[in-house]
Amino acid sequence: AAALASDKFDARVNPFEIAAFLEDAASQAVRAADELSSVLENTRERVELKTLAQEARALTELGRSHAERLRALAFWALAGKTGDARWLAKSRESMARAAAHWKELSALTASVYLPFDDPLRAGNGFTWASQLPQFERLLAQIEKQTAKARKKKQKTEGEPELKLPERFERAQFTEPSVELTRRKGALS
């Protein structure tokens, strides 16, 4: 957050670049799912390919959810680092999109996966849907922080629109593979 807030060069990959990379991977997964779906019409291995296509769609939603959650947390950190609570609105929007993607992931996988036990990470009876309350808790924390900012009379919405420094803004909306390749070349 410090590098994002100061617009100083930092050679490390920033959260927005990682989110863009995840979005790129998710787009590739959905393209693969679409290709598999078109192949389904002319094959005997329909069940296997249908399952593979469904897995690709689930990976798409997982990647997009993680990308949006990463953006939400980076915006949250910017609000804390800069003292400008307007970043919280961006955080809330990104977290809501992350939750929507997770809900879609839950719907896609509900008929495929049985609950399983993962005592080290997810606990007993893990399902994708069982993780939805975490999004509600994160959204509630963002709302709580926004309410505190309003009490302090910090600006929480409105003009001028907040913009990330150009190099971070670009990473949010461009093909990350191109940006990271360019960056790798510059660093080597």
Side-chain angles (χ1 to χ4, degrees):
L4 291 171
S6 68
D7 193 23
K8 291 182 180 169
F9 179 76
D10 190 338
R12 296 174 292 185
V13 178
N14 71 64
F16 296 105
E17 289 170 319
I18 293 172
F21 178 79
L22 287 169
E23 288 282 351
D24 186 41
S27 294
Q28 290 174 21
V30 81
R31 282 191 298 270
D34 290 344
E35 287 176 25
L36 282 171
S37 294
S38 68
V39 170
L40 281 174
E41 304 302 320
N42 305 317
T43 185
R44 293 180 199 186
E45 292 86 17
R46 289 186 104 140
V47 174
E48 291 85 1
L49 286 176
K50 186 176 180 182
T51 301
L52 191 57
Q54 188 170 3
E55 290 290 337
R57 286 189 177 84
L59 284 172
T60 298
E61 296 303 328
L62 180 63
R64 288 181 174 157
S65 180
H66 281 306
E68 289 295 347
R69 186 171 13 184
L70 188 56
R71 285 186 188 109
L73 296 174
F75 288 136
W76 173 296
L78 277 168
K81 195 69 175 170
T82 64
D84 192 332
R86 291 176 296 166
W87 289 113
L88 293 172
K90 289 184 175 282
S91 179
R92 184 177 53 246
E93 291 164 8
S94 290
M95 190 58 72
R97 285 190 300 268
H101 286 298
W102 199 272
K103 285 177 187 172
E104 185 62 27
L105 169 66
S106 300
L108 284 168
T109 58
S111 64
V112 178
Y113 295 113
L114 293 172
F116 65 92
D117 295 339
D118 182 5
L120 294 178
R121 291 181 287 167
N124 295 329
F126 174 86
T127 63
W128 295 106
S130 69
Q131 304 305 299
L132 286 168
Q134 289 182 8
F135 288 95
E136 297 304 320
R137 284 192 292 276
L138 288 169
L139 281 164
Q141 285 178 327
I142 295 167
E143 290 298 331
K144 184 177 177 182
Q145 196 67 30
T146 302
K148 281 183 185 178
R150 282 190 182 116
K151 281 183 183 177
K152 290 181 182 179
K153 306 228 189 283
Q154 288 179 331
K155 196 169 195 173
T156 57
E157 294 178 16
E159 297 295 327
E161 183 181 344
L162 289 172
K163 298 284 268 175
L164 287 170
E166 184 183 334
R167 70 187 186 92
F168 299 122
E169 195 71 36
R170 241 182 315 115
Q172 209 173 358
F173 302 107
T174 61
E175 290 287 321
S177 52
V178 172
E179 182 66 27
L180 292 176
T181 302
R182 213 178 296 139
R183 187 175 191 168
K184 247 189 229 175
L187 296 176
S188 54

